[in-house]
Coordinates of all heavy atoms in Angstrom, one line a residue:
K57 N -40.6 15.1 -70.4 CA -42.1 15.0 -70.4 C -42.9 15.7 -69.2 O -42.3 15.6 -68.1 CB -42.5 13.6 -70.6 CG -42.5 13.0 -71.9 CD -43.3 11.6 -72.0 CE -43.3 11.3 -73.5 NZ -44.1 9.9 -73.6
N58 N -43.9 16.4 -69.6 CA -44.7 16.9 -68.5 C -46.0 16.0 -68.2 O -46.8 15.9 -69.1 CB -45.3 18.4 -69.0 CG -46.0 19.1 -67.9 OD1 -46.8 18.5 -67.2 ND2 -45.7 20.3 -67.8
P59 N -45.9 15.4 -67.0 CA -46.9 14.4 -66.8 C -48.3 15.1 -66.3 O -49.3 14.3 -66.2 CB -46.2 13.6 -65.5 CG -45.4 14.6 -64.9 CD -44.9 15.5 -65.9
L60 N -48.3 16.3 -66.0 CA -49.6 17.0 -65.5 C -50.5 17.2 -66.6 O -51.7 17.3 -66.4 CB -49.1 18.1 -64.6 CG -48.2 18.0 -63.5 CD1 -47.9 19.3 -62.8 CD2 -48.8 17.0 -62.5
G61 N -50.0 17.7 -67.8 CA -50.9 18.0 -68.8 C -51.7 19.3 -68.5 O -51.2 20.2 -68.0
G62 N -53.0 19.3 -69.0 CA -53.8 20.4 -68.7 C -53.8 21.3 -70.0 O -53.2 21.0 -71.0
A63 N -54.6 22.4 -70.0 CA -54.9 23.2 -71.2 C -53.8 24.3 -71.4 O -53.6 24.8 -72.5 CB -56.2 23.8 -71.1
R64 N -53.1 24.7 -70.3 CA -52.3 25.8 -70.4 C -50.9 25.4 -71.1 O -50.2 24.5 -70.7 CB -51.9 26.5 -69.1 CG -51.1 27.8 -69.1 CD -51.0 28.4 -67.8 NE -52.4 28.8 -67.3 CZ -53.0 30.0 -67.6 NH1 -52.3 30.8 -68.4 NH2 -54.0 30.3 -67.2
V65 N -50.6 26.2 -72.1 CA -49.2 26.1 -72.9 C -48.6 27.3 -72.9 O -49.1 28.3 -73.1 CB -49.5 25.6 -74.3 CG1 -48.2 25.5 -75.1 CG2 -50.4 24.2 -74.4
G66 N -47.2 27.2 -72.6 CA -46.5 28.5 -72.5 C -45.1 28.4 -73.3 O -44.5 27.4 -73.2
V67 N -44.8 29.5 -74.0 CA -43.6 29.7 -74.7 C -42.9 31.0 -74.4 O -43.7 32.1 -74.5 CB -43.6 29.5 -76.2 CG1 -42.3 29.8 -76.9 CG2 -44.0 28.1 -76.5
E68 N -41.8 31.1 -73.8 CA -41.1 32.3 -73.4 C -39.8 32.4 -74.1 O -39.1 31.4 -74.3 CB -40.9 32.5 -72.0 CG -42.2 32.4 -71.1 CD -42.0 32.5 -69.6 OE1 -40.9 33.1 -69.2 OE2 -42.8 32.0 -68.9
T69 N -39.4 33.6 -74.7 CA -38.2 33.7 -75.4 C -37.4 35.0 -75.0 O -37.1 35.8 -75.8 CB -38.4 33.7 -76.9 OG1 -39.3 34.9 -77.2 CG2 -39.0 32.4 -77.4
P70 N -37.1 35.1 -73.7 CA -36.2 36.3 -73.2 C -34.9 36.1 -73.9 O -34.5 34.9 -74.2 CB -36.3 36.2 -71.8 CG -36.5 34.7 -71.4 CD -37.4 34.3 -72.6
P71 N -34.1 37.2 -73.9 CA -32.8 37.1 -74.6 C -31.9 36.0 -73.9 O -31.8 36.1 -72.7 CB -32.3 38.6 -74.4 CG -33.5 39.3 -74.4 CD -34.5 38.6 -73.7
G72 N -31.4 35.1 -74.7 CA -30.6 34.1 -74.2 C -31.3 32.8 -73.6 O -30.6 31.9 -73.3
R73 N -32.6 32.8 -73.7 CA -33.3 31.7 -73.2 C -34.5 31.3 -74.0 O -35.2 32.2 -74.5 CB -33.6 32.0 -71.8 CG -34.3 30.8 -71.0 CD -34.2 31.1 -69.5 NE -35.2 32.2 -69.1 CZ -36.5 32.0 -68.8 NH1 -37.0 30.9 -68.9 NH2 -37.2 33.0 -68.6
F74 N -34.8 30.1 -74.1 CA -36.0 29.6 -74.7 C -36.7 28.6 -73.6 O -36.0 27.6 -73.1 CB -35.8 28.7 -76.0 CG -37.2 28.2 -76.5 CD1 -38.0 28.9 -77.2 CD2 -37.4 26.9 -76.3 CE1 -39.1 28.4 -77.8 CE2 -38.5 26.2 -76.8 CZ -39.3 27.1 -77.6
Q75 N -37.9 28.9 -73.3 CA -38.7 28.0 -72.3 C -40.1 27.8 -72.8 O -40.9 28.5 -73.2 CB -38.8 28.9 -71.0 CG -39.3 28.0 -69.8 CD -38.4 27.2 -69.2 OE1 -37.1 27.6 -69.1 NE2 -38.7 26.0 -68.8
A76 N -40.3 26.4 -72.9 CA -41.6 26.0 -73.3 C -42.1 25.0 -72.2 O -41.4 24.2 -71.7 CB -41.5 25.1 -74.7
T77 N -43.4 25.3 -71.9 CA -44.0 24.5 -70.7 C -45.2 23.8 -71.2 O -46.1 24.5 -71.8 CB -44.3 25.6 -69.5 OG1 -43.1 26.2 -69.2 CG2 -44.8 24.7 -68.4
N78 N -45.3 22.5 -70.8 CA -46.5 21.7 -71.1 C -46.9 21.8 -72.6 O -48.1 22.0 -73.0 CB -47.7 22.1 -70.2 CG -48.9 21.1 -70.3 OD1 -48.7 20.0 -70.3 ND2 -50.0 21.8 -70.3
T79 N -45.9 21.7 -73.6 CA -46.1 22.1 -74.9 C -46.1 20.8 -75.7 O -45.1 20.0 -75.7 CB -45.0 22.9 -75.4 OG1 -45.0 24.1 -74.5 CG2 -45.4 23.5 -76.8
P80 N -47.1 20.5 -76.6 CA -46.9 19.3 -77.6 C -45.8 19.6 -78.6 O -45.6 20.8 -79.0 CB -48.4 19.3 -78.2 CG -49.2 20.2 -77.3 CD -48.4 21.2 -76.8
L81 N -45.2 18.5 -79.1 CA -44.2 18.7 -80.1 C -44.9 19.4 -81.4 O -44.2 20.2 -82.0 CB -43.7 17.4 -80.6 CG -42.7 17.3 -81.8 CD1 -41.6 18.2 -81.6 CD2 -42.3 15.9 -82.0
R82 N -46.1 19.1 -81.7 CA -46.8 19.7 -82.9 C -46.8 21.2 -82.8 O -46.6 21.9 -83.7 CB -48.1 19.1 -83.0 CG -48.7 19.3 -84.4 CD -50.1 18.6 -84.6 NE -50.6 18.7 -85.9 CZ -50.3 17.9 -87.0 NH1 -49.4 16.9 -86.8 NH2 -50.8 18.2 -88.1
F83 N -47.0 21.7 -81.5 CA -47.0 23.2 -81.3 C -45.6 23.7 -81.5 O -45.4 24.8 -82.1 CB -47.6 23.5 -80.0 CG -47.6 25.0 -79.7 CD1 -48.6 25.8 -80.4 CD2 -46.6 25.6 -79.0 CE1 -48.6 27.2 -80.1 CE2 -46.6 27.0 -78.8 CZ -47.6 27.8 -79.4
L84 N -44.6 23.0 -81.1 CA -43.2 23.5 -81.3 C -42.8 23.4 -82.7 O -42.1 24.5 -83.2 CB -42.1 22.6 -80.5 CG -42.3 22.6 -79.0 CD1 -41.4 21.5 -78.3 CD2 -41.9 23.9 -78.4
I85 N -43.3 22.6 -83.5 CA -43.1 22.6 -84.9 C -43.7 23.8 -85.6 O -43.1 24.5 -86.3 CB -43.6 21.2 -85.5 CG1 -42.7 20.1 -85.1 CG2 -43.6 21.4 -87.1 CD1 -43.4 18.7 -85.4
R86 N -45.0 24.1 -85.2 CA -45.6 25.2 -85.7 C -45.0 26.4 -85.3 O -44.8 27.3 -86.2 CB -47.1 25.2 -85.1 CG -48.0 24.2 -85.7 CD -49.2 23.8 -84.7 NE -50.0 25.1 -84.4 CZ -50.9 25.1 -83.4 NH1 -51.3 24.1 -82.8 NH2 -51.5 26.3 -83.2

């Protein structure tokens, strides 16, 4: 869980890695 919140949401998918930052589950589903 990200306790800081805020408006910025990030998703990165370089080869071999998936990184999601401060992301709601609903956005991950989308």
Side-chain angles (χ1 to χ4, degrees):
K57 273 195 174 181
N58 185 316
L60 301 179
R64 186 174 295 276
V65 173
V67 171
E68 300 177 30
T69 60
R73 186 167 65 89
F74 175 82
Q75 188 78 37
T77 305
N78 192 39
T79 309
L81 174 58
R82 196 171 184 91
F83 181 79
L84 292 173
I85 295 172
R86 288 160 53 187

